[in-house]
């Protein structure tokens, strides 16, 4: 039966049709007659007015984050995070390249799944968004003032950083579990079937500085070799805890679709992280090898630095009793979600027939009474019934992830039966269900993972699109759907296309962010070593084979815009400072046939494009961003002479470069 679920995952619709008959007949662009009559009005954001929520959406395999306005579903921005972005030079400019550095060198791509917004006392504070790199284990921090990636930290001993990043009650930590159990990084050549002996499941606790947001790996927990999937921090009574879902507790290393679905129950791992801190303070931690990169953006120098750190503090549960507990949870749980009161932990087992609700209070009692069913690699396994509050019966097929409103209701996505199910947590009763188009993955209620859900909507991030949009060849846009949850019944309001493959998203009231938006970088504060803070400071300097152009841009010219004396064999660095101090006036800079990207320079910022000329001749450069009526005139020339030529280095704007040299000579 479980194969059937997996195989039919993509055919969830067929199952849905037979089990819940939720496939609307003649679903076309309008989605049958399931749309609320006033839907258009509810999602209409009149020209010139703003959306009520920012939706911070993961890009999946594009490695980025997109910003969408809700309820309109309009995409506002793609924030480059782990992937190079030619559009603005992220990962191409000299300043941003270090952001993509890792212990394995420059890695220009990742798979970004789960945004997490910073919280204070469990409530959204609008400061930062964190997101995981699933492939090369990394966590990024994005400023919600500049909408720019400010920091990326790599995680050693981890492989497939999937259960990541999840935030504790006051953003003390972003927590990250490994998806693949692997041997620690410093263990060399071992047979794959030495899994049980050599493979471990590392969990990283990345501390976050209260003021600056700066991240550091405070410690890692070395846990049994199982696969961690998702997690949630506790709240209120459970605020010192964090909960991870896991699968492959069978510890299989081949054909996991069969071998990791043998047991009737996998685990939720409950971690008392305050206890872990006590053990650390008591000196129970040990430094272990753990090479990782830490990349940090400096807003004053407009540049990133990358540092390699070689070790990591490690806590071994064998030395730290009463810190970790396994709770059995039916069938490969994906979502592991804590309700707004912090009293309930909900496991969503993809292959399970029920949704279990665990009680934090009962869990504490079971721990106190030592009501255990043995242990798993030295970690106590709490008796299922002792920790269970109750089970939601007949929820639907393929429960995947649960979020909450402020009224004691939960919303669970059902991948296989392709629907959202609304239910009451206290009395475990299904209240409503609506179909999704098609095969919903995660869902998001604004503030759903916090202690104060903002409610109003639930958004479905669907895995299959099929006929929902105009077809665009074999690859279709992913489909998201917005439902009104303000009444008793959920109502479909809107379909909107998304970028990349959103896995998870959060939504936050615009009011918490939009007044703190950074509009320009102040020129006086520009501390970039190659900044030219006015045209008088523009110049070209040669250091051996390196040529540094201190260039400015303003409407509508570059200074200098004529450069001569560059020779084959030189490496040219264009350091472009945008002198504008007005919001929304970037200038771009691109060079003909450069095997690089452009740079898009924000007001007051300096950015550097490296260029290695390959041919003798005249090479034009120009501004790529339509900045004024004379944008098209914002262009210039650089002359490349043969190696060994004696053309002197010269530059100018307003007259020819050579005239300037001649004048100087007089
Ligand atoms: S995830 S739906 Cu659930 Cu990282 Cu993809
Ligand atoms: Cu500057 Cu166009």
């Amino acid at each position: 039966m479980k194969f059937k679920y997996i195989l039919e995952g993509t055919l969830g619709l067929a199952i849905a049709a037979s089990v819940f008959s939720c496939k609307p007949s003649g679903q076309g662009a309008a989605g049958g007659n399931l749309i609320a009559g006033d839907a258009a009005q509810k999602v209409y954001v009149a020209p010139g007015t703003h959306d009520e929520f920012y939706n911070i959406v993961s890009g999946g395999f594009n490695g980025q984050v997109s910003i969408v306005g809700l309820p309109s579903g309009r995409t506002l921005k793609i924030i480059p995070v782990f992937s190079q972005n030619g559009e603005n030079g992220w990962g191409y400019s000299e300043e941003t390249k270090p952001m993509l550095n890792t212990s394995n060198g420059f890695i220009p791509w990742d798979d970004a799944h789960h945004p997490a917004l910073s919280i204070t006392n469990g409530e959204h504070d609008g400061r930062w968004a964190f997101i995981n790199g699933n492939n090369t284990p990394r966590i990024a921090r994005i400023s919600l003032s500049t909408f720019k990636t400010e920091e990326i930290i790599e995680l050693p001993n981890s492989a497939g950083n999937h259960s990541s990043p999840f935030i504790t009650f006051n953003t003390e930590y972003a927590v990250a579990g490994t998806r693949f159990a692997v041997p620690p990084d410093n263990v060399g050549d071992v047979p794959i079937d030495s899994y049980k002996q050599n493979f471990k499941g590392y969990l990283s606790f990345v501390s976050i500085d209260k003021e600056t947001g700066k991240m550091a790996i405070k410690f890692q927990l070395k846990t049994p070799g199982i696969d961690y999937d998702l997690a949630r921090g506790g709240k209120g009574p459970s605020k010192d805890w964090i909960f991870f879902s896991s699968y492959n507790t069978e510890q299989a290393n081949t054909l996991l679709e069969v071998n990791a679905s043998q047991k009737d129950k996998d685990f939720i791992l409950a971690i008392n992280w305050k206890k872990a801190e006590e053990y650390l303070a008591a000196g129970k931690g040990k430094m272990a090898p753990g090479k990782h990169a830490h990349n940090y953006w400096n807003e004053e120098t407009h540049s990133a630095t990358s540092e390699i750190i070689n070790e990591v503090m490690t806590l071994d549960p064998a030395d730290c009793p009463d810190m970790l507990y396994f709770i059995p949870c039916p069938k490969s749980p994906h979502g592991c979600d804590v309700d707004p009161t912090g009293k309930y932990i909900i496991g969503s087992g993809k292959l399970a027939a029920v949704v279990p609700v665990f009680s934090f209070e009962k869990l504490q009692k079971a721990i106190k009474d030592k009501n255990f069913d043995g242990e798993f690699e030295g970690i106590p396994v709490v008796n299922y019934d002792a920790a269970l509050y109750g089970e939601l019966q007949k929820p639907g097929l393929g429960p995947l992830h649960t979020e909450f409103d402020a009224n004691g209701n939960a919303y669970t996505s059902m991948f296989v039966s392709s629907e959202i199910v609304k239910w009451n947590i206290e009395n475990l009763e299904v209240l409503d269900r609506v179909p999704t188009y098609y095969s919903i993955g995660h869902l998001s209620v604004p503030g759903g993972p916090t202690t104060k859900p903002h409610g109003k909507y639930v958004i479905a991030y669907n895995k299959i699109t099929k006929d929902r949009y105009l077809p665009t060849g074999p690859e279709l846009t992913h489909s998201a759907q917005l439902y009104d949850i303000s009444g008793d019944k959920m109502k479909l309001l809107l379909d909107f296309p998304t970028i990349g493959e959103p896995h998870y998203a959060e939504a936050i009231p615009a009011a918490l962010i939009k007044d703190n938006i950074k509009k320009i970088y102040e020129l006086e504060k520009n501390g970039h070593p190659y900044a030219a803070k006015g045209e008088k400071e523009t110049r070209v300097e040669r250091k051996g084979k390196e040529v540094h152009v201190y260039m400015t841009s303003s409407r509508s010219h570059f200074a200098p815009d004529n450069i001569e004396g560059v020779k084959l064999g030189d490496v040219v660095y264009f350091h472009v400072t945008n002198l504008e101090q007005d919001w929304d006036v970037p200038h771009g800079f691109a060079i003909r046939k450069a095997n690089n990207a452009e740079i898009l320079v924000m007001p007051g910022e300096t950015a550097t494009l490296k260029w290695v000329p390959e041919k003798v001749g005249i090479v034009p450069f120009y501004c790529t961003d339509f900045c004024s009526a004379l944008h098209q005139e914002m262009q210039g020339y650089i002359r490349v002479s043969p190696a060994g030529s004696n053309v002197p280095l010269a530059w100018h704007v307003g007259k020819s470069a050579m005239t300037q040299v001649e004048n100087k000579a007089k």
Side-chain angles (χ1 to χ4, degrees):
M1 191 58 178
K2 64 200 168 231
F3 296 129
K4 196 166 161 240
Y5 286 2
I6 296 165
L7 291 172
E8 289 183 351
T10 49
L11 303 172
L13 187 61
I15 298 174
S18 57
V19 181
F20 296 108
S21 41
C22 62
K23 183 187 180 188
S25 51
Q27 26 77 17
N33 54 4
L34 288 146
I35 295 179
D38 54 355
Q41 202 185 327
K42 287 197 158 147
V43 300
Y44 183 65
V45 177
T49 62
H50 293 167
D51 279 292
E52 187 184 350
F53 292 97
Y54 285 100
N55 195 193
I56 319 282
V57 187
S58 72
F61 43 61
N62 79 355
Q64 319 291 43
V65 162
S66 42
I67 305 295
V68 175
L70 295 177
S72 73
R74 298 179 293 194
T75 297
L76 305 176
K77 189 178 173 72
I78 311 287
I79 302 175
V81 185
F82 299 112
S83 298
Q84 281 179 299
N85 189 17
E87 177 184 333
N88 55 17
W90 181 257
Y92 291 97
S93 73
E94 294 307 294
E95 291 82 358
T96 56
K97 279 180 191 167
M99 290 299 282
L100 305 185
N101 191 36
T102 73
S103 63
N104 212 28
F106 182 78
I107 298 187
W109 170 85
D110 217 311
D111 180 19
H113 282 215
H114 317 116
L117 303 187
S118 57
I119 48 179
T120 301
N121 272 324
E123 292 177 40
H124 276 157
D125 58 24
R127 301 179 74 191
W128 304 299
F130 299 85
I131 189 155
N132 63 324
N134 186 24
N135 184 49
T136 297
R138 292 182 270 187
I139 294 177
R141 180 174 54 80
I142 297 164
S143 157
L144 292 180
S145 165
T146 56
F147 285 66
K148 184 162 183 141
T149 304
E150 288 190 327
E151 193 177 6
I152 294 180
I153 193 162
E154 189 185 354
L155 307 170
N157 302 316
S158 187
N161 174 36
H162 193 263
S163 42
S164 165
F166 292 91
I167 301 294
T168 55
F169 197 62
N170 276 298
T171 317
E172 296 95 340
Y173 294 100
V175 177
T178 187
R179 170 206 175 165
F180 296 96
V182 280
D185 288 351
N186 67 326
V187 169
D189 185 24
V190 295
I192 297 175
D193 67 8
S194 70
Y195 187 110
K196 289 192 181 164
Q197 171 197 342
N198 286 320
F199 291 38
K200 292 285 162 208
Y202 279 90
L203 306 173
S204 306
F205 284 70
V206 176
S207 61
I208 294 155
D209 184 87
K210 266 193 171 42
E211 300 304 317
T212 61
K214 210 162 177 176
M215 301 189 284
I217 302 176
K218 183 94 176 270
F219 61 96
Q220 289 193 318
L221 295 180
K222 184 176 165 189
T223 80
I226 58 174
D227 295 6
Y228 293 99
D229 206 8
L230 291 170
R232 275 293 177 212
K235 309 176 174 89
S238 57
K239 71 178 169 37
D240 297 345
W241 292 67
I242 187 141
F243 305 90
F244 279 90
S245 60
S246 72
Y247 62 103
N248 195 21
T249 51
E250 294 84 354
Q251 301 186 302
N253 53 271
T254 180
L255 203 63
L256 264 66
E257 68 171 327
V258 186
N259 295 330
S261 308
Q262 297 297 313
K263 286 196 190 164
D264 178 48
K265 294 196 174 61
D266 290 287
F267 293 134
I268 286 176
L269 174 62
I271 302 172
N272 183 338
W273 60 262
K274 276 270 156 117
K275 260 264 153 62
E277 286 186 334
E278 286 167 23
Y279 284 123
L280 265 190
K284 294 279 182 192
K286 286 191 187 86
M287 274 301 190
K291 191 173 174 191
H292 61 285
H294 181 204
N295 311 329
Y296 189 71
W297 184 257
N298 180 327
E299 204 179 283
E300 304 247 303
T301 60
H302 301 288
S303 324
T305 45
S306 176
E307 177 195 3
I308 297 287
I309 298 163
N310 286 306
E311 357 169 75
V312 65
M313 179 59 79
T314 307
L315 278 180
D316 189 333
D319 308 328
C320 311
D322 308 326
M323 179 175 73
L324 305 182
Y325 299 92
F326 281 125
I327 313 168
C329 183
K331 292 273 177 208
S332 307
H334 194 55
C336 166
D337 298 290
V338 180
D339 87 309
T341 67
K343 292 201 273 189
Y344 302 106
I345 302 122
I346 290 146
S348 305
K350 301 184 298 285
L351 307 177
V354 297
V355 173
V357 178
F358 298 99
S359 152
F360 182 72
E361 203 183 313
K362 286 185 76 179
L363 171 68
Q364 294 308 305
K365 183 163 187 313
I367 290 171
K368 217 164 131 211
D369 300 348
K370 298 211 179 324
N371 196 342
F372 301 142
D373 288 345
E375 50 181 48
F376 183 84
E377 292 198 12
I379 295 169
V381 178
V382 173
N383 175 274
Y384 176 73
D385 292 305
L388 188 72
Y389 171 73
E391 291 173 339
L392 179 71
Q393 300 294 330
K394 300 210 175 125
L397 298 178
L400 192 126
H401 169 227
T402 302
E403 293 224 333
F404 310 92
D405 65 18
N407 309 314
N409 301 311
Y411 300 78
T412 301
S413 57
M414 300 289 165
F415 174 76
V416 177
S417 55
S418 206
E419 58 184 336
I420 297 175
V421 175
K422 173 182 177 181
W423 52 284
N424 184 276
I425 306 170
E426 296 264 335
N427 60 30
L428 298 168
E429 240 170 59
V430 171
L431 301 172
D432 190 23
R433 47 179 88 236
V434 286
T436 59
Y437 306 91
Y438 304 98
S439 301
I440 179 174
H442 287 248
L443 46 69
S444 168
V445 173
T450 73
T451 49
K452 280 234 173 79
H454 317 294
K456 211 161 174 176
Y457 304 110
V458 64
I459 307 112
Y461 299 92
N462 301 312
K463 293 293 164 193
I464 310 287
T465 304
K466 300 290 185 197
D467 57 356
R468 298 303 284 185
Y469 293 95
L470 280 177
T472 51
E475 195 199 4
L476 303 172
T477 182
H478 273 70
S479 117
Q481 296 185 292
L482 181 78
Y483 298 80
D484 180 352
I485 57 166
S486 58
D488 287 344
K489 296 283 168 196
M490 296 178 276
K491 287 183 200 153
L492 176 58
L493 298 178
L494 180 74
D495 275 21
F496 61 97
T498 53
I499 312 285
E501 187 202 357
H503 287 256
Y504 178 54
E506 279 209 50
I508 178 169
L512 286 176
I513 292 183
K514 67 179 185 181
D515 297 334
N516 300 323
I517 290 294
K518 181 113 182 156
K519 294 183 170 168
I520 59 159
Y521 298 104
E522 287 155 76
L523 203 53
E524 312 95 82
K525 288 195 185 155
N526 182 327
H528 192 293
Y530 289 97
K533 296 196 205 175
E535 283 193 20
K536 284 209 180 97
E537 296 179 16
T538 60
R539 61 198 183 276
V540 181
E541 284 175 0
R542 173 178 286 286
K543 289 183 193 156
K545 294 268 177 213
E546 282 184 12
V547 175
H548 292 271
V549 182
Y550 294 70
M551 184 180 267
T552 60
S553 62
S554 55
R555 281 163 288 182
S556 300
H557 66 274
F558 293 106
D561 65 2
N562 276 211
I563 300 166
E564 302 191 33
V566 168
K567 295 174 229 172
L568 272 192
D570 285 346
V571 178
V572 185
Y573 294 89
F574 293 94
H575 308 285
V576 182
T577 302
N578 180 349
L579 298 179
E580 307 284 353
Q581 291 288 272
D582 279 346
W583 192 23
D584 198 20
V585 194
H587 292 286
F589 178 80
I591 304 169
R592 179 179 184 246
K593 286 192 176 178
N595 57 2
N596 201 338
E598 69 155 340
I599 46 177
L600 194 64
V601 193
M602 297 303 129
E605 185 189 26
T606 303
T608 302
L609 196 70
K610 177 180 167 184
W611 177 60
V612 183
E614 277 167 2
K615 258 177 81 179
V616 168
I618 299 294
V619 182
F621 54 82
Y622 73 105
C623 170
T624 53
D625 188 327
F626 200 105
C627 49
S628 74
L630 295 171
H631 152 78
Q632 200 68 355
E633 284 75 4
M634 196 164 171
Q635 60 183 54
Y637 293 110
I638 181 161
R639 171 181 167 191
V640 180
S641 301
S645 121
N646 53 13
V647 175
L649 202 59
W651 63 94
H652 212 277
V653 60
K655 341 174 206 173
S656 92
M658 290 316 284
T659 323
Q660 186 217 20
V661 172
E662 283 154 18
N663 288 346
K664 261 193 191 161
K666 278 181 199 162

